[in-house]
Amino acid sequence: MKLIIKQIWSIEKKLTALTVVLILTMALVPVATHAAAWHRGTPTVLRGNWKSNARKEATAKGTATIYYTLSFSKTSLANSATINNKTLRFKIHQVDYQKIRKGTYLIQTQLSNQPASVITVKKTSKNKIIVGNGAKNTNRQSYYKIGH
């Protein structure tokens, strides 16, 4: 029983650390300035649920299977991280977007009492998007449509 409690505690600590990393990443990425207008909400073509490929990572207790999910609704963006079937969900309101070229958008999010942050989202096909940090599109990761 103690081993199970220790494993759950370890997963909770990892999820807390991941949440802090996600919040800091989004809070510290500078907002891009472009001549195009910002629009309230999210682009229709991005709406829905998107999931990254699962990957295995080594931990102190063995290996963990990790994947990320993005959910775009009309007015908000939610993301989650799933580690060994334990999910941590984080929702962001006040989402704005700017189209920078065909199929590529800047998504600006606002956390309470934090400066705005930006991610770049490029829709490469009906079932795939590539998401990067900031207007410079760094640390890109592919996501695939869930429930076509």
Side-chain angles (χ1 to χ4, degrees), residues 7-23:
Q7 288 177 337
I8 291 172
W9 179 252
S10 175
I11 290 171
E12 287 176 354
K13 287 170 50 178
K14 289 175 187 169
L15 289 174
T16 302
L18 178 63
T19 300
V20 170
V21 169
L22 288 172
I23 290 171

Side-chain angles (χ1 to χ4, degrees), residues 1-146:
M1 183 66 171
K2 287 183 180 181
L3 179 61
I4 293 172
I5 292 172
K6 284 183 180 180
Q7 288 177 337
I8 291 172
W9 179 252
S10 175
I11 290 171
E12 287 176 354
K13 287 170 50 178
K14 289 175 187 169
L15 289 174
T16 302
L18 178 63
T19 300
V20 170
V21 169
L22 288 172
I23 290 171
L24 290 175
T25 299
M26 296 183 81
L28 297 177
V29 175
V31 176
T33 54
H34 293 279
W38 287 93
H39 306 283
R40 178 68 66 198
T42 60
T44 306
V45 298
L46 297 180
R47 291 182 193 159
N49 299 312
W50 304 84
K51 182 178 171 182
S52 70
N53 285 331
R55 65 177 192 251
K56 296 212 180 257
E57 291 186 10
T59 66
K61 304 283 185 199
T63 59
T65 303
I66 301 171
Y67 67 87
Y68 301 95
T69 305
L70 289 174
S71 298
F72 292 97
S73 73
K74 184 175 182 179
T75 60
S76 66
L77 167 65
N79 66 353
S80 64
T82 302
I83 303 173
N84 288 339
N85 297 320
K86 302 272 185 192
T87 301
L88 174 66
R89 190 165 172 80
F90 184 70
K91 190 169 188 172
I92 304 166
H93 293 280
Q94 300 180 1
V95 179
D96 298 319
Y97 75 94
Q98 183 181 71
K99 185 174 183 174
I100 56 175
R101 63 186 152 275
K102 183 178 181 178
T104 305
Y105 302 89
L106 293 178
I107 307 293
Q108 178 176 280
T109 59
Q110 180 70 48
L111 298 172
S112 38
N113 300 324
Q114 297 292 325
S117 61
V118 173
I119 59 173
T120 301
V121 181
K122 180 177 183 179
K123 187 167 185 179
T124 59
S125 72
K126 180 179 177 182
N127 298 318
K128 181 180 177 183
I129 60 174
I130 298 175
V131 179
N133 292 335
K136 294 186 179 182
N137 201 15
T138 58
N139 300 324
R140 290 178 285 226
Q141 186 168 359
S142 298
Y143 288 79
Y144 302 90
K145 189 79 167 176
I146 301 173

